Amino acid sequence: MSDEEKKPSLLQGFKAFLMRGNVIDLAVAVVIGAAFTNIVNAVVKGVINPLVGAFGTQDLENYKSCLKDPCKMVDGEMDGIEILWGSVLSSTLSFLITAAVVYFLMVLPMSKYLARVEERRKAKEGTEEIIELSELEVLKEIRDTLVAQRGAQGDGPGTGTAPGSPGSPGSDT
């Protein structure tokens, strides 16, 4: 075999990698996640931050504290050290909203669905075991009947009783 026949080309390997299902699923998840993050950020900045501003003194993004005085702009540079805790809180709210939506709309329903699928699979296995047990019992009955017939034939010609008749082995009488 030549060396070219042994190894796929770099382009073929890359194409095979891209065509795997999990890579495509991951790409779709990243695109949807980015779009969803934009929606959540818009809700936080457009609804939650102004609501905080309505109850507070300013928009949530504008809350800050001065660590080292004076916190004033001098010649385009900040004089002092500011802590922008309002923007941190806003980002934290964005994360919590995103996490809650992902959990309640994606993770929780999927875990419930997978639990139902597992229950059905276990129930199906249980049914198969019951069927196997009943087949085993039927086979035991057939075996017992055959043993009884052989025993009846061993008594001599014409002296045995028919299976299931009174006095035959395996009958209740």
Side-chain angles (χ1 to χ4, degrees), residues 97-169:
I97 291 170
T98 303
V101 168
V102 167
Y103 179 76
F104 289 112
L105 294 182
M106 295 176 193
V107 174
L108 190 62
M110 183 56 98
S111 64
K112 286 183 179 182
Y113 170 75
L114 291 176
R116 281 190 304 232
V117 167
E118 183 65 19
E119 282 180 26
R120 288 181 189 148
R121 186 187 64 77
K122 286 182 179 180
K124 186 177 180 183
E125 283 180 4
T127 304
E128 288 174 0
E129 288 177 13
I130 291 171
I131 290 172
E132 288 175 10
L133 287 176
S134 61
E135 286 178 3
L136 183 62
E137 290 183 15
V138 168
L139 290 173
K140 285 180 182 178
E141 289 178 17
I142 292 171
R143 179 199 63 199
D144 292 343
T145 304
L146 289 173
V147 167
Q149 285 177 349
R150 284 189 187 144
Q153 290 173 354
D155 288 341
T159 61
T161 56
S165 63
S168 69

Side-chain angles (χ1 to χ4, degrees), residues 25-167:
D25 292 343
L26 183 60
V28 169
V30 168
V31 169
I32 290 175
F36 181 71
T37 300
N38 287 335
I39 293 170
V40 170
N41 287 338
V43 168
V44 169
K45 289 180 181 177
V47 176
I48 294 176
N49 289 352
L51 283 175
V52 170
F55 293 110
T57 57
Q58 55 191 344
D59 191 12
L60 181 59
E61 292 272 339
N62 295 328
Y63 281 97
K64 54 189 164 191
S65 297
C66 190
L67 188 60
K68 181 180 175 188
D69 285 330
C71 288
K72 295 183 181 174
M73 292 293 282
V74 177
D75 297 328
E77 291 185 19
M78 179 59 69
D79 190 22
I81 301 174
E82 277 187 324
I83 297 177
L84 304 172
W85 60 270
S87 63
V88 172
L89 185 59
S90 177
S91 296
T92 303
L93 284 172
S94 294
F95 169 76
L96 290 175
I97 291 170
T98 303
V101 168
V102 167
Y103 179 76
F104 289 112
L105 294 182
M106 295 176 193
V107 174
L108 190 62
M110 183 56 98
S111 64
K112 286 183 179 182
Y113 170 75
L114 291 176
R116 281 190 304 232
V117 167
E118 183 65 19
E119 282 180 26
R120 288 181 189 148
R121 186 187 64 77
K122 286 182 179 180
K124 186 177 180 183
E125 283 180 4
T127 304
E128 288 174 0
E129 288 177 13
I130 291 171
I131 290 172
E132 288 175 10
L133 287 176
S134 61
E135 286 178 3
L136 183 62
E137 290 183 15
V138 168
L139 290 173
K140 285 180 182 178
E141 289 178 17
I142 292 171
R143 179 199 63 199
D144 292 343
T145 304
L146 289 173
V147 167
Q149 285 177 349
R150 284 189 187 144
Q153 290 173 354
D155 288 341
T159 61
T161 56
S165 63

